[in-house]
Amino acid sequence: MAALVNRRQLRIEWGQCDPAGIVFYPQYLMIFDACTGQLFARTGHSALAMREKFGIIGMPLVETGARFLLPCRFDDEVTVESEVAEWGRSSFTVRHRILKAGELAVEGFEKRVWASVDPTKPGSIKAQKIAAEIITALSSG
Amino acid sequence: MAALVNRRQLRIEWGQCDPAGIVFYPQYLMIFDACTGQLFARTGHSALAMREKFGIIGMPLVETGARFLLPCRFDDEVTVESEVAEWGRSSFTVRHRILKAGELAVEGFEKRVWASVDPTKPGSIKAQKIAAEIITALSSG
Amino acid sequence: MAALVNRRQLRIEWGQCDPAGIVFYPQYLMIFDACTGQLFARTGHSALAMREKFGIIGMPLVETGARFLLPCRFDDEVTVESEVAEWGRSSFTVRHRILKAGELAVEGFEKRVWASVDPTKPGSIKAQKIAAEIITALSSG
Amino acid sequence: MAALVNRRQLRIEWGQCDPAGIVFYPQYLMIFDACTGQLFARTGHSALAMREKFGIIGMPLVETGARFLLPCRFDDEVTVESEVAEWGRSSFTVRHRILKAGELAVEGFEKRVWASVDPTKPGSIKAQKIAAEIITALSSG
């Protein structure tokens, strides 16, 4: 099954840019985080509903990476394409591509864990098997 | 009694500045927030210890304001002076001044509430009488 | 003439919230800044086009203030209403109201200057008379 | 020659943390950026002086990555160790390790380019051979 791709149009804000006039790179990671949220909302569950329904506390990040190919500037319109590129048992990798006028400007990934509170260790989390329903909802065709 | 003034030296970071090359103004509010934290640490209680000892959940903001007199730029060294300018029964106002080479660059305030969880309304907070010990600790002379 | 009101729907992002689960207050100022940008785009000029056409370098902030009435949380949908509440000769005040389920959660203002480069002092800016066309475009009725 | 390691003590701020009570991960990238700045200041040149002396416009990022091993929370004291792990002709990789109570909490890298304005293409940058003096200054022993 192919992955469902979430597309989001964004306009680069003044406050996201640095004195070189280009997006300050940690801002791209904030965009990734928000776009993963929007991708998972495509399951039909809000972030809060998903937590309640599946007993998770969230999807903490274990690894991230990004390559910067073209600079984006204030007022640029960009498209962010996000999809789950790989499903593990309890972890998954979201791939993001930021396109500017059709050209790839930034590509990156987030590896996240489907996690619940660890009942045996206060303050700790425990990886859970990802709900099949979520995997299905984020696949297309 | 005069107020204890906390002084903090900061160097403006690249990521705090915008394409005009000056500090993006919400960053000043982040500086205020962090400097209020550092001022209250002068009581001898860490933020977490203070929460436990006095049964508060924090010091939520109810009002803020700032005037911008001189721009600060990447790599500028600034001094932030913070003090409680006014104590109410359950609220207080912290005044911040950001100085650049001895000149006032930004001045602002934060009005905050000394708050605990409201036991009668889940999810709500309730203003508390500020602990006398805190007021004394943040006064000098 | 009444002011043109720009309305923007936003969903509160995870990364805008603090450990108390509510929006970290400097984030509201970032929202104000972005919404002022969107309001001025209603003139039909992009931020860059406006700079070129009117010879300004931007609209630097001289004063800001905000009152926080209701907390906003992750995934809350809010509406931001922004309008120029007052036009001076070379400065103006934008008023912002953030509504959550129809109730006022945050209100604030930004006082900004219509500024060009000062040809007599390198690195300095100079307030300019605001273009009448802009005032007209941001008025309604 | 071994690399010079810059060590920086930081206390995690409230505004860097998310509703799960842990550092919001793009904040780590902001820490990396600031610590690279501090590492390069160990050459004895400020960021601005380095730009003037070597004719560069900065050190734009081409790739970044991070792994998150232990969560950091509000008020945690951490140490950030930063060093250039690899020098290419015109690019270099800075490695960062964030330690909490002596344990590795986050590790990451930034691959950056030593760049000047491209005189043949307005608005573009061009990779330059890194100044030998900088490489020497950031090596130890």
Side-chain angles (χ1 to χ4, degrees):
Chain A
M1 281 193 302
L4 178 88
V5 178
N6 187 68
R7 282 184 181 78
R8 186 177 192 173
Q9 307 288 333
L10 290 175
R11 187 175 286 273
I12 300 299
E13 309 276 11
W14 177 259
Q16 293 178 305
C17 298
D18 69 15
I22 62 177
V23 172
F24 182 52
Y25 77 90
Q27 295 287 343
Y28 288 118
L29 287 278
M30 294 195 191
I31 291 173
F32 290 174
D33 188 81
C35 287
T36 292
Q38 204 179 67
L39 172 64
F40 275 75
R42 298 282 293 273
T43 60
H45 303 296
S46 75
L48 298 176
M50 211 166 65
R51 279 152 209 246
E52 278 176 33
K53 177 165 185 184
F54 300 107
I56 58 167
I57 55 151
M59 312 184 299
L61 201 76
V62 290
E63 192 176 349
T64 191
R67 294 198 315 131
F68 308 98
L69 309 167
L70 291 175
C72 296
R73 296 189 163 81
F74 170 49
D75 230 21
D76 278 350
E77 265 193 80
V78 298
T79 302
V80 190
E81 297 182 346
S82 307
E83 66 190 287
V84 178
E86 196 184 337
W87 291 102
R89 188 189 167 280
S90 58
S91 70
F92 58 93
T93 301
V94 184
R95 187 168 57 192
H96 303 279
R97 285 182 298 266
I98 303 182
L99 302 158
K100 181 177 137 177
E103 280 193 278
L104 186 62
V106 179
E107 61 181 359
F109 73 91
E110 299 173 304
K111 185 174 178 185
R112 293 177 176 270
V113 171
W114 189 257
S116 65
V117 170
D118 185 340
T120 68
K121 276 187 262 172
S124 292
I125 61 170
K126 209 179 133 178
Q128 290 295 323
K129 187 173 183 303
I130 300 166
E133 173 185 343
I134 292 295
I135 300 176
T136 304
L138 295 180
S139 303
S140 72
Chain B
M1 282 194 301
L4 178 89
V5 178
N6 186 68
R7 282 184 181 78
R8 187 178 191 173
Q9 307 288 332
L10 291 175
R11 188 175 284 275
I12 300 300
E13 310 275 12
W14 177 260
Q16 293 178 305
C17 299
D18 69 15
I22 63 177
V23 172
F24 182 51
Y25 78 90
Q27 295 286 343
Y28 288 118
L29 286 280
M30 294 195 191
I31 291 174
F32 289 174
D33 188 80
C35 288
T36 292
Q38 203 180 66
L39 173 64
F40 275 75
R42 296 283 293 274
T43 61
H45 303 296
S46 75
L48 298 176
M50 212 166 66
R51 278 151 208 245
E52 279 177 30
K53 177 165 185 182
F54 301 107
I56 57 168
I57 53 150
M59 312 184 298
L61 202 76
V62 290
E63 192 176 349
T64 190
R67 294 198 315 132
F68 308 98
L69 309 168
L70 291 175
C72 295
R73 294 189 163 82
F74 170 48
D75 230 22
D76 278 351
E77 265 195 79
V78 298
T79 302
V80 189
E81 297 182 345
S82 307
E83 67 191 286
V84 178
E86 196 184 337
W87 292 103
R89 189 190 166 278
S90 59
S91 69
F92 58 93
T93 302
V94 185
R95 187 167 57 193
H96 304 279
R97 285 182 295 268
I98 303 182
L99 302 159
K100 180 177 137 179
E103 282 192 276
L104 186 62
V106 179
E107 61 181 359
F109 73 90
E110 298 174 304
K111 186 174 178 186
R112 291 176 177 272
V113 170
W114 189 257
S116 64
V117 170
D118 185 339
T120 68
K121 276 187 260 170
S124 292
I125 62 170
K126 206 179 133 178
Q128 290 295 322
K129 186 171 182 305
I130 300 166
E133 175 185 343
I134 292 296
I135 299 176
T136 303
L138 295 180
S139 304
S140 73
Chain C
M1 283 193 300
L4 178 89
V5 178
N6 187 67
R7 282 184 181 77
R8 187 177 191 173
Q9 307 287 333
L10 291 174
R11 187 175 286 273
I12 300 299
E13 309 276 11
W14 177 259
Q16 294 178 304
C17 299
D18 69 16
I22 62 177
V23 172
F24 181 51
Y25 77 89
Q27 295 286 344
Y28 288 119
L29 287 278
M30 294 195 192
I31 291 173
F32 289 174
D33 188 81
C35 288
T36 292
Q38 203 179 67
L39 172 64
F40 275 75
R42 297 283 293 273
T43 60
H45 303 296
S46 75
L48 298 176
M50 211 166 65
R51 279 152 209 246
E52 278 176 32
K53 177 165 186 184
F54 301 107
I56 58 167
I57 53 152
M59 311 185 299
L61 201 77
V62 290
E63 193 176 348
T64 190
R67 294 198 315 131
F68 308 98
L69 309 167
L70 292 175
C72 296
R73 296 189 163 80
F74 170 49
D75 231 20
D76 277 351
E77 265 195 79
V78 298
T79 302
V80 190
E81 296 181 346
S82 307
E83 67 189 286
V84 179
E86 196 184 337
W87 291 103
R89 187 189 167 277
S90 58
S91 69
F92 57 93
T93 301
V94 184
R95 187 167 57 193
H96 303 279
R97 285 182 296 267
I98 302 182
L99 302 158
K100 181 177 137 177
E103 281 192 277
L104 186 62
V106 179
E107 62 181 358
F109 73 91
E110 298 173 305
K111 185 175 178 186
R112 293 176 177 270
V113 170
W114 188 258
S116 66
V117 170
D118 186 339
T120 68
K121 276 188 261 171
S124 291
I125 62 170
K126 208 179 132 179
Q128 290 294 324
K129 185 170 184 304
I130 300 167
E133 173 184 344
I134 292 296
I135 298 176
T136 303
L138 295 180
S139 303
S140 72
Chain D
M1 283 194 300
L4 178 89
V5 178
N6 187 67
R7 283 183 180 78
R8 187 177 191 173
Q9 307 287 332
L10 290 175
R11 188 175 285 274
I12 301 300
E13 311 275 13
W14 177 259
Q16 293 179 303
C17 299
D18 69 15
I22 63 177
V23 172
F24 181 52
Y25 78 88
Q27 295 286 343
Y28 287 119
L29 286 278
M30 295 195 191
I31 290 173
F32 289 174
D33 188 81
C35 287
T36 292
Q38 205 179 66
L39 172 64
F40 275 75
R42 296 285 292 275
T43 61
H45 302 296
S46 74
L48 298 176
M50 211 166 66
R51 278 151 209 246
E52 279 177 30
K53 177 165 185 182
F54 301 107
I56 57 169
I57 53 151
M59 310 184 300
L61 202 76
V62 290
E63 192 175 349
T64 191
R67 294 199 314 132
F68 308 98
L69 309 167
L70 291 175
C72 296
R73 295 188 163 81
F74 171 48
D75 230 21
D76 278 351
E77 265 194 80
V78 298
T79 302
V80 190
E81 297 181 346
S82 306
E83 67 191 284
V84 178
E86 196 184 338
W87 291 103
R89 188 191 167 278
S90 58
S91 70
F92 57 93
T93 301
V94 184
R95 187 167 59 193
H96 303 279
R97 285 182 297 267
I98 303 182
L99 303 159
K100 180 177 139 178
E103 281 193 277
L104 187 62
V106 179
E107 61 181 0
F109 74 90
E110 299 173 304
K111 185 174 179 186
R112 292 176 177 270
V113 171
W114 188 258
S116 65
V117 170
D118 185 339
T120 68
K121 275 187 262 171
S124 292
I125 63 169
K126 207 180 134 178
Q128 290 294 322
K129 187 172 183 303
I130 300 167
E133 175 186 342
I134 292 295
I135 299 176
T136 304
L138 295 180
S139 304
S140 72

